[in-house]
Amino acid sequence: MSDRLLLKSGYVLTMDPEIGELPVGDVLVEDGRIVAVAASVDVDPGCAEIIDATDRIVLPGFVDTHRHTWQAPWRNIASDWSLFHYLWGLHTGLSKYYRPEDTYNGNLLGTAEALDSGITTLLDWSHNLRTPDHTDGAIAGLRDSGARTIFAHGGGAPQWAVLPGNDVPHPADDVRRVRSEHFSSNDGLTTMALALRGPQFTTDAVSEHDFALAAELDLDITMHVGDGELGKTRPIDWLRDRDLLSDRITYVHCCTLGDDELQAIADSGGKASVAADVEMQMGHGWPATGRLLAVGIRPSLSIDVCTSTGGHMFGLMRTALGSQRALDNARLEESGGTLANGEPIPLTARDMLEFATIEGARAAGLDHKIGSLTPGKDADVILVRTDTLGMSPLNNPVGALVYNAHPGLVDTILVAGRVVKRDGALTHLDPKHVLELAHATRDHVLEQARDDELIGDIELGGTWTPRNPAHAPSHA
Ligand SMILES: [Zn+2]
């Protein structure tokens, strides 16, 4: 007998332009897939589990296309740090005290946090893989979270200790091992990609080696480009000169790339990931949202690191929309223009919701499976409450989601049809257990790092800044 579930009488935002939105609608799920979306779907009594979606917005789960998930136990430790403090204190500092179980604990916490907030698909940009056991820990943490995930292998300390001009190739043996041991199929709930440093950060020979590795193993690539001063070194020219631009690359940040570089990405079918919160917090440059749109790229969104900012899509959508609107308004003012004649403003809340759902699915190479509530796709669905003092009366569901909602309103979540959150509580994970593991990791790493004179006198509470950023890797 098939496994059927009916989401009944919700405000359905399908994000599928052909189906549109249904102010009152039903979504029928069978064996993990969406089989019907309509104003009313009839099923015989007793033939389906029914979830009442009254006073809920029903929409596809969010997709985060770039997150260094292992860092989750260090949330907000870097809220007042510069990029250099982060690189020194955390990325090459606390990171070296991670045991494989800490990588597991961090990935479990980070992915569970994302899932709990409505992010049903997460690309884990995993760049603290110190040993193959750490790699296995990272993958196990993703799998145990219950979310749909992409494990993007990003190397470890040797690959990141010296930047730019790093001359250590991506650890090919571990990548080949992971591809055959864990991801011989591209069809599971967790799949694989390659998180490369690229020409901004390595020697020419190393980037050439790393791109060849991706081709050998038939893996999509995700790569930081256009972040801060280093991003002005024309990394896209480097790729174009070697005929390496492709539609299987997601370019993260893009803030300081030239407009012609963005055009070259667009011409090759490349994808983009905007991490607006971190880009403005760490000084990567202005989020490239509007400049990407100008060349025809509709970006996806990403959290990047939870060490300074929050980990949920609601806050990120607000920052991404607000930052671009501020830029658009400033440009209009500078040009002596005005919106006094009632012209529409260029970027809408609906654009932002598309970036967080269907465009994220596209960047993850999963738009044939997820990103919209389309019959035939997997049922990755979230229900967001609208019956609260802050969300009701519901006059504009998209505006409410983007400018008003928060993770506490995410009431029910399905991943491939499996209910992982119901009535506001995760059903498949014990949050207390996840937090115990995260605390154990944080306390272990802190204890080990206290003797590390280059990190400095660590204190919690918001007062600690890594001591010696002048000795940080020469990142910019
Ligand atoms: Zn990043």
Side-chain angles (χ1 to χ4, degrees):
M1 187 178 133
S2 63
D3 190 7
R4 300 176 109 196
L5 192 151
L6 183 66
L7 305 171
K8 186 88 190 141
S9 304
Y11 198 121
V12 182
L13 297 175
T14 67
M15 308 312 287
D16 179 325
E18 292 190 7
I19 306 174
E21 64 186 70
L22 306 165
V24 181
D26 299 348
V27 178
L28 181 63
V29 175
E30 193 171 306
D31 295 330
R33 292 217 170 127
I34 297 164
V35 293
V37 181
S40 180
V41 177
D42 290 326
V43 291
D44 291 336
C47 287
E49 181 187 355
I50 293 176
I51 292 181
D52 183 6
T54 307
D55 293 328
R56 308 286 186 266
I57 300 171
V58 180
L59 74 156
F62 299 125
V63 181
D64 175 356
T65 56
H66 149 243
R67 179 184 307 221
H68 307 291
T69 321
W70 61 272
Q71 298 176 1
W74 306 101
R75 68 174 75 268
N76 297 116
I77 201 164
S79 288
D80 297 317
W81 291 5
S82 71
L83 173 63
F84 295 95
H85 294 127
Y86 161 83
L87 287 168
W88 188 240
L90 208 147
H91 191 186
T92 59
L94 296 176
S95 64
K96 62 175 167 282
Y97 300 104
Y98 264 55
R99 304 161 297 178
E101 59 261 48
D102 298 315
T103 307
Y104 173 86
N105 295 346
N107 266 20
L108 183 63
L109 173 67
T111 316
E113 166 200 8
L115 182 61
D116 189 43
S117 73
I119 294 169
T120 50
T121 298
L122 173 75
L123 183 140
D124 174 32
W125 219 105
S126 193
H127 63 350
N128 186 30
L129 302 173
R130 313 187 74 78
T131 68
D133 287 342
H134 287 78
T135 306
D136 292 344
I139 295 166
L142 297 179
R143 288 198 159 130
D144 287 353
S145 74
R148 188 184 300 276
T149 50
I150 299 120
F151 172 72
H153 191 301
Q159 283 75 34
W160 293 95
V162 175
L163 301 173
N166 190 291
D167 61 0
V168 183
H170 204 96
D173 288 349
D174 196 43
V175 173
R176 291 191 184 103
R177 177 189 69 83
V178 169
R179 183 65 160 145
S180 65
E181 272 182 29
H182 294 285
F183 300 107
S184 54
S185 153
N186 292 325
D187 240 9
L189 201 58
T190 300
T191 51
M192 184 179 181
L194 210 47
L196 295 185
R197 292 158 295 169
Q200 269 185 218
F201 299 101
T202 75
T203 61
D204 290 354
V206 162
S207 272
E208 284 161 4
H209 162 275
D210 294 353
F211 271 77
L213 182 65
E216 172 197 323
L217 297 173
D218 191 29
L219 291 169
D220 288 352
I221 292 170
T222 170
M223 181 172 55
H224 299 106
V225 290
D227 36 341
E229 284 301 311
L230 261 186
K232 297 176 183 171
T233 54
R234 305 290 299 180
I236 305 304
D237 285 352
W238 189 96
L239 295 169
R240 190 182 50 202
D241 292 347
R242 289 160 181 79
D243 206 18
L244 290 172
L245 292 168
S246 96
D247 60 0
R248 296 190 61 183
I249 304 175
T250 297
Y251 301 87
V252 177
H253 299 311
C254 302
C255 313
T256 53
L257 297 181
D259 287 334
D260 58 329
E261 288 182 288
L262 299 183
Q263 186 65 59
I265 292 173
D267 292 346
S268 67
K271 317 295 193 305
S273 178
V274 167
D277 269 314
V278 166
E279 286 156 6
M280 294 199 293
Q281 195 269 330
M282 284 190 172
H284 291 344
W286 284 103
T289 317
R291 296 174 57 230
L292 289 163
L293 290 168
V295 298
I297 298 174
R298 294 182 70 73
S300 66
L301 299 176
S302 64
I303 296 294
D304 196 349
V305 290
C306 290
T307 49
S308 49
T309 67
H312 55 86
M313 197 57 81
F314 300 105
L316 177 57
M317 288 194 291
R318 274 196 277 287
T319 303
L321 186 54
S323 57
Q324 188 56 47
R325 282 185 171 172
L327 284 168
D328 291 344
N329 290 333
R331 198 163 298 124
L332 189 68
E333 189 182 351
E334 278 167 22
S335 68
T338 169
L339 292 174
N341 293 328
E343 306 90 329
I345 57 176
L347 185 67
T348 65
R350 186 173 295 273
D351 287 321
M352 209 46 64
L353 198 60
E354 289 179 10
F355 300 165
T357 54
I358 185 64
E359 297 305 338
R362 264 191 203 112
L366 292 170
D367 50 311
H368 58 295
K369 268 193 178 178
I370 58 164
S372 64
L373 304 184
T374 304
K377 287 194 179 183
D378 284 5
D380 289 12
V381 189
I382 65 174
L383 275 61
V384 179
R385 287 181 62 174
T386 61
D387 58 344
T388 66
L389 292 173
M391 288 287 279
S392 185
L394 186 70
N395 302 314
N396 171 358
V398 175
L401 285 169
V402 172
Y403 262 131
N404 200 5
H406 58 80
L409 299 173
V410 179
D411 174 79
T412 298
I413 300 177
L414 278 63
V415 176
R418 177 190 182 199
V419 177
V420 295
K421 190 174 186 184
R422 185 85 189 262
D423 298 329
L426 293 176
T427 56
H428 66 306
L429 274 181
D430 176 6
K432 266 192 195 161
H433 176 62
V434 175
L435 291 173
E436 279 167 14
L437 295 177
H439 279 99
T441 281
R442 187 194 67 175
D443 295 346
H444 165 79
V445 172
L446 277 184
E447 196 52 44
Q448 299 297 308
R450 283 198 196 286
D451 297 330
D452 188 328
E453 59 184 24
L454 294 178
I455 291 180
D457 299 324
I458 302 171
E459 276 185 57
L460 298 179
T463 54
W464 171 51
T465 302
R467 178 190 295 155
N468 203 348
H471 292 162
S474 54
H475 184 271

